[in-house]
């Protein structure tokens, strides 16, 4: 089975579900903060904590890269 990615487009139906260019940076930063809290709370097994920290660190770096472009679209 192929994996598919579906975008829902419409007159505001996907607002707060799919980040738009204007809100993407703040929502991505919130994702990074959630990962940081998850890591700090230590509610994970040791083998889970490493991957969470790796994802958090990668998202921080990606966020910095986004800042040097007009939008995340132009970065990609």
């Amino acid at each position: 089975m192929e994996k598919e990615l579906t975008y829902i487009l419409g007159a505001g139906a996907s607002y707060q579900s799919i980040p738009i260019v204007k809100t993407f940076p703040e929502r991505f930063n919130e994702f990074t903060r959630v990962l940081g809290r998850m890591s700090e709370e230590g509610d994970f097994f040791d083998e889970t904590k490493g991957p969470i920290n790796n994802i958090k660190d990668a998202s921080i770096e990606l966020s910095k890269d986004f800042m040097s472009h007009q939008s995340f679209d132009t970065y990609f």
Side-chain angles (χ1 to χ4, degrees):
M1 176 180 271
E2 292 182 37
K3 293 184 178 183
E4 295 181 4
L5 178 62
T6 302
Y7 284 94
I8 302 170
L9 302 175
S14 58
Y15 188 72
Q16 297 300 327
S17 298
I18 299 173
I20 57 175
V21 171
K22 183 178 178 182
T23 63
F24 184 85
E26 180 53 37
R27 293 191 61 196
F28 190 78
N29 287 333
E30 179 59 26
F31 168 74
T32 303
R33 287 189 290 272
V34 167
L35 289 175
R37 285 193 301 269
M38 290 170 65
S39 176
E40 290 169 6
E41 290 172 2
D43 291 337
F44 300 94
F45 298 107
D46 288 337
E47 63 267 11
T48 308
K49 207 172 212 184
I52 288 174
N53 283 330
N54 292 342
I55 295 168
K56 180 192 69 162
D57 294 343
S59 68
I60 289 169
E61 289 303 311
L62 187 57
S63 181
K64 289 177 186 176
D65 290 339
F66 290 160
M67 297 301 285
S68 65
H69 291 79
Q70 188 172 4
S71 74
F72 68 93
D73 284 340
T74 59
Y75 170 77
F76 288 115

